[in-house]
Amino acid sequence: MGIAKIENRNKGYGKQAVTLILEYGFKNVGMERITANTLEINIPAQKSLEGLGFALEGRERKAVYFGGKRYDRLIYGLLAEEHLREGTL
């Protein structure tokens, strides 16, 4: 099973996976920040990351070549203090 497969999308797998990564990284490892990135065309990933508390921190213009086109890469970040403040862990 892969999250990238069409039939596995919109079932919450990605959000669940990121939530587990955040919990492990912040609680068990003691990380101070976690970053994620996605393409400008991946609106569902952007909404999911923002819903989990990530902030858009930057944009790498035309950084990724995919399907015959160039797209911007969006960089998101989340600090441990922000995540804990929101009470999501």
Side-chain angles (χ1 to χ4, degrees), residues 6 8 13 24 28 30-31 47 67-68 80:
I6 298 291
N8 293 322
Y13 299 143
Y24 182 77
N28 296 71
M31 297 176 83
K47 288 181 180 180

Side-chain angles (χ1 to χ4, degrees), residues 12-64:
Y13 299 143
K15 185 175 181 178
Q16 183 180 12
V18 174
T19 299
L20 291 171
I21 290 168
L22 294 175
E23 182 173 336
Y24 182 77
F26 290 138
K27 280 188 166 181
N28 296 71
V29 179
M31 297 176 83
E32 294 292 325
R33 70 181 266 113
I34 294 177
T35 60
N37 63 70
T38 189
L39 298 182
E40 63 179 309
I41 57 171
N42 193 343
I43 305 302
Q46 294 170 43
K47 288 181 180 180
S48 182
L49 290 170
E50 291 166 4
L52 288 166
F54 281 83
L56 180 62
E57 296 183 330
R59 174 184 296 262
E60 293 177 306
R61 297 177 300 151
K62 307 294 182 197
V64 178

